[in-house]
Amino acid sequence: MKTIWKHLFVLSLLIVLASTAAVPALAAGEPAQAAGAAVTAEEAAAATTSAKAYAAAVAIGLAAGAGAIGMGIAIAKAAEGIARQPEADGKIRTALMLGLVFVETAIIYALIVAILIIFVL
């Protein structure tokens, strides 16, 4: 049963990576040259803005999703550890909080990168 879950996890990870790699191609879209008309500066700016929005959404979505999964696993393991050794609850809780802070920091860094993608690039 564990191998099925591992295979599903790997398959879903590959699907996410493939869709992430396809975002720039999807963001480009069809050329807006109807009847030989040149692309205006406004259309180019709109295409660039939408590409930035897709990139920021993917960045923060992946970081938040991975962080949430990691936090859930950490909390589950900490609860299991406290259930097995109630006398070590203080040490387990301290290590859990420190780990959760590091995971949350990585998510906040991803948010900052997404904001930089939108406003700076």
Side-chain angles (χ1 to χ4, degrees):
M1 189 69 172
K2 283 191 171 197
T3 59
I4 293 173
W5 284 109
K6 284 183 183 179
H7 285 41
L8 284 174
F9 177 73
V10 170
L11 181 64
S12 63
L13 185 64
L14 288 174
I15 290 171
V16 167
L17 289 175
S19 63
T20 304
V23 167
L26 295 173
E30 300 252 345
Q33 297 179 358
V39 176
T40 64
E42 292 175 2
E43 291 172 344
T48 303
T49 303
S50 66
K52 288 179 186 179
Y54 280 126
V58 168
I60 194 66
L62 286 176
I69 291 170
M71 286 180 174
I73 291 171
I75 291 169
K77 295 296 181 177
E80 181 181 327
I82 291 173
R84 288 183 184 205
Q85 284 188 317
E87 66 273 1
D89 66 341
K91 290 182 180 180
I92 294 172
R93 190 174 299 120
T94 301
L96 171 70
M97 290 299 164
L98 188 62
L100 291 178
V101 165
F102 287 140
V103 171
E104 193 67 31
T105 302
I107 296 170
I108 292 171
Y109 284 150
L111 176 65
I112 291 170
V113 167
I115 290 171
L116 287 174
I117 288 171
I118 292 173
F119 293 113
V120 175
L121 295 179

